[in-house]
Amino acid sequence: MASPGPPTGGAGGGGGNPFAHATPPGGIPNTTDTILASIFIPLFFAVGLYFHFRLFKAYNQFSRPIFIWSILCFGFCMARIAALSLRLATVKHPTNKSLNIAAQVFIAAGVVLLFFVNLQMARRFFGQLHPQHAIWVKRVVNTACILVIPVLAMVITTVVQSFLTTDPSILDKDRKVRLVASVFLVLLAFLPIPIVLVVLLLQKFTPTPTPSPGSGSGLEKGQVELAEGDTDPEADSDAAAAATSNGKPNEVEKKEEGSTERERERVKGEPKTGFGRTPVGQREIWETALVILIPGVLLTFEQGIRTSQAFYTPKVGRSPPWYLSKATFWTCIFAFELVSVLIFGLAVLPRRFSHLKII
């Protein structure tokens, strides 16, 4: 998480240069930021609305558990639009402290939503294939997610305070808090990667039974224990279809009355395989693994850049390093995040993981 420079003016909404003592990540906002923000705003809006909010509404029409992670991805896209809009505003009002504070907070804090989503998908992926070992992964992931809340609160407090004081002692303490928080967030972004790698290693040495040829996209009942004790939302509709083929319509009607999941048409754009109790076959296992690994690598690199920015100490007469440049700022933050949230959208996460508990 980048460390903004302390202001030189008072604590009002304007006046003074808020970046007098340090160049912020991405440099001072200028017309280049206006052009790039004008490109990224509609992109984030389109991805959030079409790939996440649309699917959230589509899957929420049925009685399956609400998949909150899609709406979190949509919320992330809206938070990025707010951050970019504030960045645009600082181009016109570069000395307005209130705008700069809001822009820095939104840019620094928004990515945590993607960390949450990727961690929970990694935990679910582990639980799908190896439910007998999933309890420890679940505890680690949920503990990390809970710890984010106080860490984020402290970071936001120190970011705001660094704009409103010139006391060297307070600024030094604020910087130390941000350094600890930055290292923690790097680990949080990196955590899904070893989880998925452990899944693949366990899969190699203790393979999960795969469906027999011609069995379709689902597994035969009884092949794999349901992940973490959860129920299969498609089991009822599968049983109903089987009963219909056996000429037992009355049993089908009784089953449907007590069912929590009705047969339905496939939502446009959702994958035909790789969902349910476990991914189907090695190809689908690798597809789901890559859906988690690629954003994990991108988000870890992004947070590593932010951590480098936090550890950087300005020196008189020395130009800022490359990781403080405008190109790095827009590529490693907004571009990487856009790719990550787009991958989550294209993977149709509700279809792959909606049968598992929220937490």
Side-chain angles (χ1 to χ4, degrees):
M1 191 168 294
S3 179
T8 56
N17 181 6
F19 304 120
H21 296 323
T23 302
I28 304 297
N30 56 27
T31 54
T32 303
D33 295 82
T34 302
I35 296 171
L36 293 173
S38 300
I39 295 172
F40 276 101
I41 286 176
L43 289 175
F44 275 110
F45 181 78
V47 171
L49 189 64
Y50 183 79
F51 288 103
H52 294 290
F53 187 76
R54 180 185 66 88
L55 288 175
F56 174 78
K57 294 290 289 184
Y59 281 92
N60 202 30
Q61 294 175 4
F62 308 100
S63 57
R64 68 175 63 209
I66 295 176
F67 192 77
I68 66 169
W69 311 110
S70 287
I71 207 65
L72 276 185
C73 288
F74 174 74
F76 166 78
C77 291
M78 297 303 104
R80 275 295 168 254
I81 291 173
L84 290 166
S85 300
L86 289 167
R87 182 85 177 178
L88 283 174
T90 57
V91 175
K92 292 292 184 181
H93 307 281
T95 61
N96 189 302
K97 250 177 252 180
S98 298
L99 281 177
N100 279 285
I101 290 173
Q104 290 290 328
V105 168
F106 270 91
I107 290 172
V111 71
V112 173
L113 294 176
L114 287 188
F115 295 168
F116 276 149
V117 173
N118 210 31
L119 268 174
Q120 291 297 332
M121 296 311 102
R123 196 266 290 178
R124 282 159 169 70
F125 184 51
F126 195 105
Q128 281 183 319
L129 292 174
H130 305 286
Q132 67 274 23
H133 306 301
I135 185 62
W136 294 106
V137 176
K138 179 178 179 179
R139 289 174 179 173
V140 170
V141 168
N142 289 344
T143 300
C145 290
I146 292 171
L147 288 175
V148 168
I149 299 173
V151 169
L152 199 58
M154 290 188 293
V155 168
I156 292 174
T157 301
T158 58
V159 168
V160 173
Q161 188 170 249
S162 67
F163 277 90
L164 303 178
T165 184
T166 56
D167 188 327
S169 175
I170 295 177
L171 292 175
D172 183 63
K173 292 176 182 178
D174 289 343
R175 181 175 180 271
K176 290 178 180 177
V177 170
R178 288 196 296 274
L179 292 180
V180 174
S182 295
V183 173
F184 173 79
L185 291 176
V186 169
L187 296 176
L188 192 72
F190 178 73
L191 189 55
I193 298 175
I195 291 176
V196 172
L197 293 179
V198 169
V199 170
L200 297 177
L201 285 175
L202 290 175
Q203 187 69 15
K204 181 177 178 61
F205 294 107
T206 58
T208 302
T210 55
S212 57
S215 61
S217 61
L219 292 179
E220 296 294 329
K221 289 187 179 181
Q223 276 190 322
V224 183
E225 180 185 357
L226 292 180
E228 304 177 17
D230 295 326
T231 58
D232 181 6
E234 298 189 351
D236 292 326
S237 58
D238 291 342
T244 302
S245 63
N246 293 329
K248 301 177 181 179
N250 293 333
E251 294 182 8
V252 174
E253 291 176 1
K254 292 180 181 179
K255 187 67 178 178
E256 286 183 347
E257 288 177 1
S259 174
T260 59
E261 179 78 12
R262 301 293 196 273
E263 287 190 77
R264 60 176 177 79
E265 292 184 1
R266 194 177 299 277
V267 176
K268 181 180 179 181
E270 71 185 13
K272 297 181 180 179
T273 57
F275 57 85
R277 289 170 290 175
T278 184
V280 183
Q282 290 299 316
R283 176 181 175 181
E284 288 75 23
I285 290 174
W286 278 99
E287 284 179 359
T288 305
L290 290 176
V291 166
I292 301 169
L293 285 175
I294 295 175
V297 171
L298 294 177
L299 295 175
T300 301
F301 188 82
E302 174 196 342
Q303 193 57 42
I305 292 293
R306 292 175 183 266
T307 303
S308 299
Q309 295 169 352
F311 275 90
Y312 172 70
T313 302
K315 295 183 179 179
V316 179
R318 181 176 296 182
S319 301
W322 64 271
Y323 50 80
L324 287 175
S325 67
K326 197 175 295 293
T328 302
F329 175 77
W330 285 97
T331 302
C332 296
I333 295 181
F334 294 107
F336 281 10
E337 290 172 356
L338 181 63
V339 171
S340 298
V341 79
L342 180 60
I343 289 174
F344 289 151
L346 292 172
V348 193
L349 296 182
R351 187 61 175 168
R352 294 175 183 270
F353 299 106
S354 63
H355 62 291
L356 298 178
K357 296 176 182 178
I358 294 177
I359 296 295

